[in-house]
Amino acid sequence: MNKLTSRWRSLMREAKTKELIKDIEILSQTFERIVDRKDSVLQALVQDLEEADEQHSMALRSHLSNLDRLTELHEERIEALKVRFDEDQTQVVDEFDTERADIIVTHQTEMNELLDIMFAMEQRYQEHENDSKLEFQSTRDEIKNKNLEEKHALRMQLENTIEDLWIQFQVALKSYNETTEDRKRAFEELKMKDEKSSREIDMQMRKIQRLSEQIGQFKTKMSNTAKDNEDINTSLKEEKEKMLAHFQELKSQMNKQRDKERSKLTKLTLESNSVIKELKRVTEVGEHILRGGEICRKLEIEQEKVLPFYGSSLTEEEETEAEEAIAEPTTEPLAAMMHEYSALENFWKRYNKVLLDKMALSKERTVLTQENEQLRQVLKQYLDGISVNDEILSNPNPLFVINNRTNVQMAVPVADPRIKRPTTTVVEAAHIIKQIL
């Protein structure tokens, strides 16, 4: 019975071995055909990538030249703005210096005129005062001399009169006894002379009083003149203070304008530095994008080179509605930002196409990996079926077919070193040299 079983087992093994070898040959041919197809696809992709690399290099050079031109334009604009600012600043400084010099000259001229006026008024007042004093002195001396002369004359006259009266008195006294009529006549003559003398004395007193009134008028006039001169001096001092305040105000305005211009220059410098930094950052991002584009260009196929953008799946009415919706003004900031980046629509089309291809390749790679794993599992089970050891004999033999059922397990982990996939990644040197060059 054991011999029969052994013989039956050997026959079944030979038959199953032939079937499995035939299946393995078919699977091997299928696998080689798939590998050859993938190799051709990879070669086409490598060639497309090289051509895409050349096109990307040309686009990169064009983009870099455009960036250099934009940078030069920006630098020229900044230089022009700086020159214009320097010219405006120089013009403002020159105008301020000219106006300041004019104000200083005008102020100096007016001060000199005021000093001349004050000096002239003081001289005039001094001369007027001296003239008044001299006139008063001369008038007083004249009046005094006249009074002295008149007094002396009156005294001489009175002395003469007294002498005459004394003589007459002596004569009258001598002739008193001779006649009374002569004495009466002499008395009347003396009375008349006395009245005449009294009138002359009254006239002299009135003259002295009139001169005193003139002296008082002159004093009043001198005091009024002094008040007028004091008012003029006060007004001149007030005008001087106003001019000084106006000068201080102009000076403060000049300082404020200077601080304002300095802050504008500082702000312009900071903004210019920030713009330069932002341009550098944008340039770096653009270079990074261009490098990525060069790498992606090498992976393009002939169809992608001829038709880089896929056609729209929308109808004409839907495209018209989309264009109208894009053309309408928006109030939301996100929609406005999307309008600004509408020029990148073709870029996003190519990016989405590449992303879809990547996902499709990833899915196909997953399917092929699963098929390869299944083939490895079947091969392992086949090797286990034709091998003889204690571990394999303790498990069900996968080569037995009983009632059209087999013991082959289709989901066994591959751990046998005989069919284990190599984990070391090998890259051809020619591919590395091509990437470097």
Side-chain angles (χ1 to χ4, degrees):
M1 188 66 182
N2 293 328
K3 291 181 179 180
L4 181 63
T5 302
S6 299
R7 182 64 179 170
W8 173 254
R9 181 178 293 177
S10 62
L11 291 174
M12 289 297 294
R13 282 179 179 175
E14 290 176 357
K16 190 63 175 178
T17 300
K18 291 180 180 180
E19 291 179 0
L20 290 175
I21 289 171
K22 188 181 293 185
D23 293 335
I24 287 171
E25 288 177 354
I26 294 171
L27 291 173
S28 177
Q29 292 176 0
T30 304
F31 180 76
E32 288 177 358
R33 186 172 60 254
I34 293 172
V35 170
D36 293 334
R37 182 167 57 85
K38 295 300 180 181
D39 289 338
S40 63
V41 171
L42 289 175
Q43 289 178 359
L45 289 175
V46 168
Q47 185 177 1
D48 294 336
L49 283 175
E50 291 176 355
E51 294 177 358
D53 188 19
E54 293 177 358
Q55 294 183 1
H56 179 264
S57 299
M58 294 176 62
L60 177 61
R61 287 193 294 271
S62 177
H63 180 68
L64 290 176
S65 64
N66 292 329
L67 286 178
D68 293 337
R69 195 181 306 113
L70 288 174
T71 305
E72 290 176 359
L73 289 174
H74 180 68
E75 290 177 354
E76 290 175 359
R77 181 174 177 82
I78 290 175
E79 188 68 22
L81 290 174
K82 186 177 180 181
V83 171
R84 184 177 178 183
F85 173 77
D86 293 336
E87 291 176 355
D88 294 338
Q89 184 180 11
T90 305
Q91 184 178 0
V92 171
V93 171
D94 293 337
E95 290 177 357
F96 172 75
D97 293 335
T98 304
E99 186 176 358
R100 182 174 180 271
D102 294 337
I103 291 171
I104 291 173
V105 171
T106 305
H107 175 69
Q108 191 67 29
T109 305
E110 290 178 354
M111 288 296 296
N112 293 330
E113 290 177 358
L114 290 175
L115 292 174
D116 293 337
I117 292 169
M118 291 175 65
F119 180 76
M121 291 184 68
E122 289 177 359
Q123 290 293 114
R124 184 177 178 184
Y125 175 77
Q126 191 69 28
E127 292 175 358
H128 187 70
E129 184 179 6
N130 292 331
D131 293 337
S132 299
K133 287 181 178 180
L134 290 173
E135 186 178 0
F136 171 75
Q137 191 70 25
S138 62
T139 305
R140 189 180 68 177
D141 294 336
E142 184 180 358
I143 293 170
K144 186 176 180 180
N145 293 329
K146 191 174 182 180
N147 288 331
L148 289 174
E149 291 176 358
E150 288 178 356
K151 185 178 180 182
H152 184 68
L154 183 60
R155 184 176 180 182
M156 294 297 293
Q157 186 179 1
L158 289 174
E159 287 178 355
N160 294 328
T161 304
I162 290 170
E163 289 178 358
D164 293 336
L165 289 174
W166 180 256
I167 294 169
Q168 290 175 6
F169 179 73
Q170 292 295 329
V171 172
L173 183 60
K174 288 180 180 180
S175 62
Y176 177 73
N177 292 322
E178 296 177 352
T179 178
T180 307
E181 191 70 19
D182 294 333
R183 287 197 300 262
K184 186 177 180 181
R185 191 172 48 252
F187 176 76
E188 292 294 334
E189 290 176 0
L190 290 173
K191 186 178 180 182
M192 290 175 64
K193 288 180 179 179
D194 184 65
E195 290 176 355
K196 185 178 179 180
S197 298
S198 298
R199 285 195 300 271
E200 289 178 355
I201 290 168
D202 292 332
M203 288 176 64
Q204 294 297 328
M205 292 298 293
R206 284 195 297 273
K207 192 174 182 180
I208 291 169
Q209 186 177 3
R210 189 167 54 254
L211 291 173
S212 299
E213 291 175 356
Q214 289 180 358
I215 290 169
Q217 290 177 1
F218 284 132
K219 288 182 178 180
T220 304
K221 190 175 181 180
M222 286 174 63
S223 63
N224 292 330
T225 304
K227 290 181 180 179
D228 294 336
N229 292 331
E230 186 177 357
D231 294 334
I232 292 171
N233 292 331
T234 304
S235 63
L236 290 174
K237 288 180 180 179
E238 291 176 355
E239 188 174 358
K240 179 183 176 182
E241 291 176 354
K242 289 181 181 178
M243 290 294 292
L244 184 60
H246 184 61
F247 173 74
Q248 294 294 335
E249 184 178 359
L250 290 176
K251 187 176 181 181
S252 62
Q253 290 179 1
M254 180 192 69
N255 292 329
K256 289 180 181 178
Q257 187 68 20
R258 186 180 296 168
D259 295 336
K260 187 177 180 181
E261 294 297 332
R262 188 181 292 110
S263 63
K264 285 183 179 180
L265 179 60
T266 304
K267 185 178 179 181
L268 179 62
T269 305
L270 294 175
E271 290 179 354
S272 176
N273 293 330
S274 63
V275 168
I276 291 171
K277 291 179 181 179
E278 184 65 20
L279 288 175
K280 289 181 179 179
R281 188 187 65 80
V282 172
T283 304
E284 292 177 357
V285 173
E287 291 177 354
H288 180 71
I289 293 173
L290 290 174
R291 286 195 296 269
E294 289 178 358
I295 296 171
C296 295
R297 187 65 179 172
K298 295 178 181 179
L299 300 175
E300 289 183 355
I301 61 177
E302 291 293 337
Q303 184 179 1
E304 290 177 346
K305 291 178 182 179
V306 176
L307 296 174
F309 307 109
Y310 61 87
S312 177
S313 60
L314 301 177
T315 61
E316 294 182 356
E317 296 180 355
E318 292 176 347
E319 289 182 354
T320 305
E321 291 178 358
E323 291 177 356
E324 291 178 354
I326 292 172
E328 291 180 357
T330 58
T331 57
E332 297 181 357
L334 182 59
M337 189 178 295
M338 290 176 64
H339 281 297
E340 293 180 359
Y341 292 97
S342 60
L344 297 174
E345 184 177 359
N346 292 329
F347 169 76
W348 290 117
K349 283 183 179 180
R350 297 190 68 180
Y351 177 78
N352 293 332
K353 184 178 179 182
V354 171
L355 184 63
L356 291 173
D357 292 341
K358 179 183 176 183
M359 294 174 66
L361 290 173
S362 298
K363 187 173 182 180
E364 186 176 358
R365 181 180 179 182
T366 303
V367 172
L368 292 175
T369 303
Q370 292 176 358
E371 292 179 358
N372 194 8
E373 292 293 336
Q374 290 178 0
L375 291 173
R376 288 175 180 275
Q377 291 173 4
V378 172
L379 182 60
K380 177 181 179 300
Q381 292 177 8
Y382 171 74
L383 294 175
D384 291 340
I386 63 175
S387 300
V388 178
N389 53 41
D390 295 336
E391 183 180 359
I392 292 172
L393 293 176
S394 63
N395 295 323
N397 194 330
L399 299 179
F400 283 157
V401 177
I402 301 174
N403 295 329
N404 294 327
R405 296 180 64 183
T406 182
N407 293 327
V408 177
Q409 296 181 4
M410 302 304 294
V412 178
V414 180
D416 197 326
R418 295 172 297 173
I419 58 172
K420 187 176 181 182
R421 178 185 297 176
T423 57
T424 304
T425 303
V426 179
V427 181
E428 293 183 0
H431 181 69
I432 296 297
I433 295 299
K434 184 183 292 185
Q435 292 293 330
I436 293 173
L437 297 177

